[in-house]
Amino acid sequence: RVVALLLSDRVSGLVAIVIYILILLSIFVSDLPVPYQDYGWVMIPFAVAGYYAVVYFICKSTIGQSWLVLLYSMVIQGLQMGAAILIANGIGCEVCRMPDYVFLFFISSIASAIPVSIGGVGLREATFAFGSQYLNVDDGQAVALSIVFYLTSLVASLPGIAYMLKPEWIKKHKML
């Protein structure tokens, strides 16, 4: 059951990313030669239906909460998108090209989930490097966005080590 819950959580995050990618493709990103790109938004209900089918298949007992989980995933991915925009703005990316950087960010998020590296290191940067060529954005800034986002996530995750090493200490000091 725990594995099924973890898998459904990962699928909800993936579907949220796919929804944002479809929105970006439909409205903002224009340099990619994607067939029927303007109609990407039509695929959103299919992505949601696919999510619902996967959750039903792997963990029927959580089907009632699946919509709430997807909503939370949309919020979390939206916050990550906001962080990526702030980082891109901070490193001097062109504002008019921001949707392209965000699109690359979401594609790299999918690539980094492939379990061939630790934490997606290398895959995320390669995605930004290759994707920047297709979208005609600055490859140095694209890779810098990737690295700064990764380092920010890493630093924000460091306090979790205390919980892993000494969970009783955190409970004793009422930090959790």
Side-chain angles (χ1 to χ4, degrees):
R1 180 176 162 102
V2 172
V3 172
L5 289 171
L6 288 171
L7 185 58
S8 68
D9 177 59
R10 297 294 285 187
V11 170
S12 71
L14 176 63
V15 170
I17 290 170
V18 167
I19 290 171
Y20 280 122
I21 287 172
L22 290 170
I23 292 168
L24 286 165
L25 275 175
S26 299
I27 301 171
F28 299 108
V29 179
S30 61
D31 288 349
L32 285 177
V34 176
Y36 307 108
Q37 179 175 339
D38 295 336
Y39 302 103
W41 58 270
V42 173
M43 297 301 297
I44 292 173
F46 293 105
V48 172
Y51 164 69
Y52 185 75
V54 168
V55 170
Y56 182 81
F57 178 72
I58 61 173
C59 196
K60 291 178 188 171
S61 64
T62 64
I63 204 73
Q65 293 84 21
S66 62
W67 301 109
L68 186 59
V69 171
L70 183 59
L71 178 64
Y72 284 149
S73 292
M74 292 295 297
V75 170
I76 289 166
Q77 295 303 330
L79 290 170
Q80 289 206 11
M81 175 174 49
I85 289 169
L86 291 172
I87 291 168
N89 188 44
I91 61 175
C93 296
E94 294 178 60
V95 174
C96 64
R97 301 308 304 254
M98 206 58 72
D100 298 324
Y101 288 104
V102 172
F103 177 78
L104 286 174
F105 171 75
F106 281 129
I107 296 296
S108 76
S109 295
I110 293 172
S112 68
I114 299 170
V116 295
S117 72
I118 297 173
V121 175
L123 291 175
R124 185 178 285 116
E125 290 74 23
T127 303
F128 270 95
F130 290 122
S132 65
Q133 295 171 3
Y134 288 105
L135 292 175
N136 297 317
V137 295
D138 185 271
D139 58 343
Q141 287 179 328
V143 173
L145 167 59
S146 171
I147 292 169
V148 171
F149 185 86
Y150 178 76
L151 291 175
T152 303
S153 299
L154 180 68
V155 169
S157 300
L158 287 177
I161 293 174
Y163 182 73
M164 290 182 65
L165 298 176
K166 297 280 187 180
E168 67 280 350
W169 183 79
I170 291 176
K171 290 176 185 174
K172 178 182 169 187
H173 291 87
K174 298 183 183 181
M175 296 176 70
L176 189 62

